Amino acid sequence: MIERGRRVLRTESDALALLAASLDASFARAVEVILGATGRVIVSGMGKSGHVARKIAATMASTGTPALFVHPAEASHGDLGMIARDDVVLLLSNSGETPELADLIAFTRARGIPLIGIASNPESTLIRKADHGIVLPRAPEACPNGLAPTTSTTMTLALGDALAVALMEQRAFTPQNFREFHPGGKLGALLSTVSDLMHGVAELPLVAPDAPMSDALLSISARGFGLTGVVDSAGTLVGVITDGDLRRNMHRLMQCTAGEVMTARPKTIAPDELATEALARMNRDKISALFVVAKDGHQPVGIIHIHDCLRAGLG
């Protein structure tokens, strides 16, 4: 049984290698057509190709290329109205002769809507009628009878990923853009920025350098972050007082000012950095909180605690 599984994976892996080697200018033209469209990418296919088409549309939509799956049978019963002149249609069919695609093909041809076809037969109706055809290399299905769509759907799915990623890179799609489309779940948490999780200015524990340590202790206790920042008259963060500073100065604590006890040049982070980086710094430096400073690197605008990161699911 294990060898059978390996045989399937080797068969499909070999086919993907063939696909990679076969990519040519037709792939680049397809990317350029989609980039130039002002509408959406309408992806469609029947049967197993339809399942793959749904995934390709979802991947494109989540990576900066507006896309929509339209079922070919439903298209023939009114859903053709979902397709506009500024869209691009991407049709999938291993044989290139899927009869349910006929109305979609005719609709695009009659209205001058760009059509990209993906099929394994270069002489098929789909490839011949498409503006841009991407031909899958001939490769055996992993099914022992050579009938069930296996290798062919794997190639089509991988080709869809290749299109989506090429488009994503051409659009300079950033992690922040990605997060806008993935606000929930683990992905949303991993792409959270410091500003998403930090406590704002109103919650900052701050004292002046000449403040007595009694005031510093009250500041630490009142805010519950286990530290207080020390800011000068210009509002610049010049130091921080933590539990460690208190222990080191216990013998003279109440005779000192905040400036005499503080650790100068405290570790900070910018608000637009990823929260995962804040967590990494806190773990690396064995601290529990970081002051968030403005882009000039001086004015504190927030504070992020390790518990904020853990509550967001980053731990």
Side-chain angles (χ1 to χ4, degrees), residues 17-282:
L18 283 175
L19 176 61
S22 72
L23 284 191
D24 55 19
S26 62
F27 177 84
R29 287 193 295 269
V31 172
E32 289 167 359
V33 168
I34 295 173
L35 283 172
T38 57
R40 301 162 301 175
V41 180
I42 307 299
V43 193
S44 188
M46 194 68 190
K48 302 300 184 293
S49 292
H51 295 307
V52 173
R54 287 181 186 274
K55 194 274 180 184
I56 292 174
T59 299
M60 286 185 174
S62 70
T63 54
T65 299
L68 173 70
F69 171 78
V70 172
H71 194 287
E74 297 296 339
S76 298
H77 293 272
D79 282 1
L80 285 172
M82 294 182 176
I83 307 172
R85 291 183 183 273
D86 55 358
D87 292 336
V88 174
V89 174
L90 175 62
L91 296 186
L92 316 179
S93 169
N94 185 40
S95 68
E97 300 293 348
T98 306
E100 290 86 353
L101 299 183
D103 289 338
L104 275 166
I105 294 172
F107 187 82
T108 64
R109 303 305 75 197
R111 287 161 178 75
I113 298 170
L115 174 61
I116 300 169
I118 296 177
S120 61
N121 182 0
E123 302 302 321
S124 63
T125 301
L126 175 57
I127 296 298
R128 286 188 293 104
K129 294 203 172 185
D131 297 298
H132 307 283
I134 303 177
V135 179
L136 300 173
R138 293 289 187 179
E141 298 285 10
C143 163
N145 299 317
L147 298 173
T150 47
T151 303
S152 57
T153 49
T154 296
M155 286 194 293
T156 306
L157 183 62
L159 183 57
D161 287 341
L163 285 169
V165 173
L167 291 162
M168 179 181 177
E169 291 179 351
Q170 285 295 109
R171 298 184 194 279
F173 195 78
T174 66
Q176 182 57 35
N177 297 139
F178 194 80
R179 182 180 178 276
E180 291 172 5
F181 298 137
H182 299 78
K186 188 66 174 179
L187 277 177
L190 290 174
L191 294 168
S192 296
T193 62
V194 170
S195 62
D196 293 325
L197 303 183
M198 73 181 190
H199 302 265
V201 173
E203 298 181 64
L204 291 182
L206 298 172
V207 294
D210 58 356
M213 278 305 300
S214 57
D215 289 352
L217 289 171
L218 287 173
S219 177
I220 294 172
S221 300
R223 298 302 184 186
F225 296 113
L227 81 172
T228 188
V230 182
V231 293
D232 63 18
S233 58
T236 299
L237 185 70
V238 295
V240 65
I241 300 174
T242 67
D243 291 342
D245 297 307
L246 298 180
R247 288 193 296 272
R248 283 188 292 273
N249 292 275
M250 189 63 70
H251 63 287
R252 63 185 188 111
L253 192 63
M254 301 312 292
Q255 288 76 49
C256 294
T257 64
E260 293 170 329
V261 174
M262 73 180 190
T263 296
R265 296 183 297 278
K267 300 181 186 304
T268 61
I269 194 164
D272 57 354
E273 291 200 52
L274 290 175
T276 50
E277 173 60 21
L279 180 60
R281 290 189 197 179
M282 286 186 275

